[in-house]
Amino acid sequence: MTVSAEDYLAVVTETIGRVSASQREAVGRAADLVADALRADGVVHAFGTGHSEALAMEIAGRAGGLVPTNRIALRDLVLHGGASADVLGPLLERDPAVAHRLYELAPVHPSDVFVVASNSGVNGAIVEFAALVKERGHGLVAITSAQHSARMTSRHPSGRKLAEFADVVLDNGAPYGDATLPLPGGGAVGAVSSITAALLAQQLTIEVVSRLLAAGERPPVYLSANITGGDEHNNELEARYAGRIRRGS
């Protein structure tokens, strides 16, 4: 295998096919969990740190996605919690204590469900957040790399990992280290976890919508804000969840 765009495309194509086939049943179970929460007037909260924040952005607040969704991010400590921007940094995701503040700042209702993403599944904030979500009685879908997580030691005091708390685990199929094309001097290039996590997020959303349609319900789905009538459509749906979903941060 060479280091080329063509080889990367081949790896991505193979990984997408493998993830789609292996995770089909789990995606269905996750969709059942989310659809049940929506029927109970719940909201989907999505949380990820580092590059896994892209998963939360894929779930919450985009065209073709579900309206009752909210993105949780480490910067909520600053934007909504009044903390100094100095607290933000690459090691913050390893601090279990921040999970409690993030949950406290989120507009959470008892019927809400959570989708939490972490490629390694071992950092303190993510693991503590997952533990807190389950302690409070919410449904939890985890998106992680089974291969990467298996080779890691937890950074949480409990020694546990994200997947151990989840009701449903979706494996993003990424290899240990995420990158896929080996380099001659060591290391690798061409990460895949963001691509497969986006795939799983979209498949989950589509399966939730499929279940709502099958039940004769009208799915609350966003139109693009950049098409005629998009703002009006979206504002009407968002009004149903006023104070429970955040946009623009």
Side-chain angles (χ1 to χ4, degrees), residues 13 27 36-37 50 56 72 78 86 92 123 127 131 136 145 154 163 176-177 196 202 213-214 217 242:
T13 301
V27 168
D36 288 345
I72 296 172
V78 177
D86 294 341
L92 185 60
N123 282 315
V127 176
R136 299 297 173 86
S145 165
S154 175
Y176 178 68
T196 52
Q202 290 296 336
L213 289 172
E217 303 170 42

Side-chain angles (χ1 to χ4, degrees), residues 34-247:
V34 172
D36 288 345
L38 296 186
R39 291 191 182 104
D41 195 35
V43 161
V44 183
H45 297 277
F47 176 47
T49 63
H51 285 93
S52 290
E53 189 179 348
L55 178 281
M57 296 175 72
E58 200 72 24
I59 292 282
R62 72 167 303 163
L66 295 165
V67 173
T69 51
N70 180 60
R71 175 161 48 100
I72 296 172
L74 290 175
R75 61 180 172 277
D76 290 351
L77 300 171
V78 177
L79 294 174
H80 305 293
S84 167
D86 294 341
V87 305
L88 301 178
L91 298 183
L92 185 60
E93 67 179 356
R94 299 185 182 183
D95 182 5
V98 304
H100 293 263
R101 184 59 174 152
L102 289 172
Y103 184 94
E104 177 185 281
L105 290 170
V108 179
H109 286 209
S111 56
D112 293 349
V113 65
F114 287 75
V115 179
V116 177
S118 171
N119 195 56
S120 68
V122 300
N123 282 315
I126 285 287
V127 176
E128 183 72 9
F129 193 85
L132 184 58
V133 162
K134 292 310 302 174
E135 179 184 303
R136 299 297 173 86
H138 302 286
L140 173 61
V141 177
I143 300 181
T144 189
S145 165
Q147 184 180 139
H148 188 119
S149 191
R151 293 180 59 178
M152 293 290 291
T153 299
S154 175
R155 291 176 173 140
H156 189 267
S158 70
R160 300 178 71 183
K161 303 175 184 180
L162 169 61
E164 296 176 52
F165 292 95
D167 297 288
V168 183
V169 178
L170 302 180
D171 181 7
N172 67 27
Y176 178 68
D178 203 355
T180 56
L181 301 180
L183 297 174
V189 67
V192 296
S193 65
S194 295
I195 294 173
T196 52
L199 169 70
L200 290 168
Q202 290 296 336
Q203 288 182 321
L204 173 58
T205 298
I206 290 164
E207 287 297 321
V208 171
V209 168
S210 175
R211 281 153 174 74
L212 297 179
L213 289 172
E217 303 170 42
R218 182 186 178 191
V221 172
Y222 276 112
L223 293 177
S224 170
N226 297 308
I227 65 172
T228 302
D231 285 342
E232 293 77 9
H233 170 89
N234 296 340
N235 290 341
E236 179 183 348
L237 289 175
E238 286 183 341
R240 302 179 190 175
Y241 304 95
R244 300 181 63 192
I245 58 176
R246 295 171 178 155
R247 297 293 179 259

